[in-house]
Amino acid sequence: MSEPVPYPVLNDDEPVRQFNELDASLTYSYANYLNWLFPERVELIAGKIFKMSPAPSRAHQEVAGRIFLKIGNFLEGKQCKIYSAPFDVRFPKESKADKNVYTVLQPDICVICDKSKLDARGCIGAPDLVVEILSPGNTKTELLHKYRIYEEFGVKEYWVVSHGDQSILIYTLNEMGKFEPSKIFALSEKITSTVLPGFELALNDVFEDVD
């Protein structure tokens, strides 16, 4: 595998103010990402730029908000913390230095139980739980990349929420470090979480009256 071509930084403090100033063929690090001041939201996957969808739909926001509230209320007074996008999660391979981190994602919702992973800029390392709500703009390639990243870095539980199908699929990391999928949960069913013992979420509470 060829070595990544680094972004040619001429001035470490020089901000990039327009998305079209970036070269999609190059490999960028979190250090570069910190200098991007344009309004578009992007994620980095192995140094490659993935432009995120425009502002999420109202239904997407409503579903995300309901899940966030249910988990947030459950976590009241507990050690784990819950965050919603935009919230940077960095996935370092060896060094945690900004210039050596090439993957930065913004999950819709994430739960982090190890507070040592939290800093002023977000999370560095795998969250315990990640929730992604599917949007029409999500591509199969993007979803596959994210699945592989969450599995590789050890996200213990990954929920894929489909508003269109009114369903939730849960991937749980097994002892071999591989994701095992649940059945697809639908309306009138409830889900539980291996990461959050005692937590229960009724899908009717997530999707009912969301259109």
Side-chain angles (χ1 to χ4, degrees):
M1 189 172 177
S2 59
E3 286 294 311
V5 180
Y7 177 59
V9 180
L10 300 177
N11 180 342
D12 287 342
D13 298 319
E14 188 174 342
V16 177
R17 298 185 184 280
Q18 293 197 16
F19 176 78
N20 60 14
E21 291 178 28
L22 301 179
D23 183 342
S25 69
L26 298 180
T27 299
Y28 294 90
S29 72
Y30 182 62
N32 303 133
Y33 176 96
L34 290 172
N35 275 335
W36 297 345
L37 303 184
F38 43 76
E40 292 90 346
R41 285 175 59 207
V42 299
E43 294 178 306
L44 281 181
I45 297 177
K48 297 302 178 186
I49 307 160
F50 282 76
K51 194 172 181 180
M52 299 178 72
S53 303
S57 68
R58 182 178 57 81
H60 180 288
Q61 290 284 65
E62 205 165 327
V63 167
R66 291 180 181 192
I67 295 173
F68 184 92
L69 283 173
K70 291 287 184 183
I71 298 176
N73 287 338
F74 176 80
L75 292 178
E76 195 75 36
K78 296 182 173 65
Q79 177 178 325
C80 301
K81 300 286 187 180
I82 183 170
Y83 299 92
S84 62
F87 178 79
D88 286 343
V89 179
R90 290 159 277 157
F91 292 88
K93 284 215 167 184
E94 294 172 10
S95 165
K96 293 182 180 180
D98 294 345
K99 64 185 178 65
N100 296 325
V101 175
Y102 291 96
T103 296
V104 185
L105 300 181
Q106 291 191 5
D108 287 312
I109 297 169
C110 60
V111 174
I112 296 115
C113 298
D114 180 354
K115 291 185 180 179
S116 71
K117 293 182 178 180
L118 297 172
D119 62 19
R121 295 181 299 190
C123 175
I124 183 156
D128 294 83
L129 169 64
V130 165
V131 181
E132 296 277 16
I133 292 103
L134 298 180
S135 297
N138 293 132
T139 65
K140 287 183 179 179
T141 302
E142 175 193 354
L143 293 172
L144 181 58
H145 280 319
K146 288 185 176 183
Y147 173 95
R148 287 174 173 167
I149 289 162
Y150 293 148
E151 183 180 67
E152 175 188 351
F153 284 89
V155 171
K156 294 175 184 175
E157 202 167 273
Y158 172 33
W159 299 6
V160 179
V161 181
S162 173
H163 164 248
D165 295 336
Q166 296 190 317
S167 68
I168 297 178
L169 174 64
I170 298 176
Y171 293 99
T172 305
L173 204 69
N174 65 19
E175 292 177 355
M176 305 296 291
K178 297 294 182 184
F179 275 147
E180 290 184 356
S182 68
K183 76 183 192 77
I184 296 175
F185 294 92
L187 284 178
S188 80
E189 295 185 290
K190 293 180 180 179
I191 61 172
T192 57
S193 169
T194 57
V195 171
L196 307 174
F199 176 73
E200 193 173 75
L201 178 66
L203 269 70
N204 283 12
D205 292 340
V206 175
F207 297 114
E208 207 161 52
D209 300 322
V210 177
D211 50 28

